[in-house]
Amino acid sequence: MSTDRPRESGAEEPDTSPGQKIPATDAETSPVSEPAESKEPETAATESEPARPLRLRTLLIVAAVLLGLDLLTKTIVVSTMTPGKPIYLIGDSVRLTLVRNPGAAFSMATGMTWLLTLIAAAVVIGVIRIGRTLRSLPWAIGLGMVLGGALGNLIDRLFRAPGPLQGHVVDFVAVGWWPVFNVADSSIVCGAVLLVALTLFGFEPDGTRMHRQQAASGAEGGTA
């Protein structure tokens, strides 16, 4: 029977004389490798917000719909109604009555038809120029309403009697004591009210909001 005992685990280590230093292995001498830091750019923090889509098409669609509705209603009213013979819808408060208006919206500035025509043309050009860089949907709707109404009344001034630049606008809606108006007048006023509200609440034509920009700039100033 063999009496040899299994060698200890340390028996495999080379014999060294007292005071002799055992050379360190590569695993012991090499520094502990730290996990490599991610060198990917912090796109979430540095990448700018994606550009919003342009809203010119929306503006033109809104304007075209309102312009078509204005022209359609005026054509029906002119062909079916007689001036001075109103049609009462709700008592005496709401009625349809055909009126030829040489002035501006709601029968204002009746003696300056040619000037109002030029102003309407300038409004149309200005709205289209703004719309080319517009990125806010509410602004596109508001400006589309203004553009559709301005085009509706401009067409009347250019093509209706008594002649170019002097044409009288067809008005036909009367509500209580309010001056007689048409679809174009309503479109201009509602669009203007919407644009004023957007401005007051800080909504910009480029799709941003003013108070958010101010808060972001304030936060950057506080961390600087």
Side-chain angles (χ1 to χ4, degrees):
M1 180 176 65
S2 173
T3 59
D4 293 339
R5 296 181 180 178
R7 299 180 64 183
E8 299 293 337
S9 59
E12 296 180 357
E13 297 179 357
D15 295 335
T16 57
S17 59
Q20 183 178 358
K21 188 176 182 181
I22 301 175
T25 61
D26 294 340
E28 295 174 349
T29 57
S30 60
V32 179
S33 59
E34 298 180 356
E37 296 182 358
S38 176
K39 297 182 179 180
E40 297 180 359
E42 298 180 358
T43 56
T46 59
E47 185 178 358
S48 59
E49 184 179 355
R52 294 174 174 82
L54 293 174
R55 300 295 185 177
L56 179 60
R57 178 179 297 181
T58 303
L59 187 154
L60 295 178
I61 291 174
V62 173
V65 170
L66 292 173
L67 174 61
L69 181 60
D70 180 67
L71 295 178
L72 177 62
T73 54
K74 288 176 179 177
T75 301
I76 295 175
V77 167
V78 170
S79 60
T80 59
M81 295 187 64
T82 302
K85 294 184 178 180
I87 299 176
Y88 295 94
L89 301 178
I90 304 177
D92 294 336
S93 300
V94 181
R95 61 193 185 277
L96 301 178
T97 179
L98 176 57
V99 175
R100 303 278 184 168
N101 177 19
F106 306 110
S107 302
M108 296 184 295
T110 56
M112 305 177 66
T113 305
W114 65 271
L115 179 59
L116 295 173
T117 304
L118 298 179
I119 293 175
V123 169
V124 170
I125 295 173
V127 170
I128 294 177
R129 287 177 62 88
I130 296 174
R132 294 173 61 185
T133 58
L134 196 65
R135 296 186 182 274
S136 169
L137 180 59
W139 271 85
I141 295 174
L143 288 175
M145 296 173 70
V146 173
L147 178 60
L151 284 172
N153 285 340
L154 180 61
I155 290 174
D156 281 3
R157 299 189 191 283
L158 293 177
F159 298 106
R160 293 190 184 275
L165 301 181
Q166 299 290 333
H168 293 180
V169 175
V170 175
D171 291 334
F172 56 91
V173 181
V175 179
W177 52 268
W178 201 256
V180 183
F181 59 94
N182 55 33
V183 174
D185 296 336
S186 301
S187 178
I188 293 173
V189 172
C190 293
V193 170
L194 176 58
L195 295 179
V196 171
L198 292 174
T199 302
L200 292 177
F201 286 100
F203 291 95
E204 298 296 321
D206 61 359
T208 60
R209 195 168 181 182
M210 181 61 67
H211 77 84
R212 291 182 179 177
Q213 292 179 341
Q214 293 175 348
S217 61
E220 292 177 358
T223 56

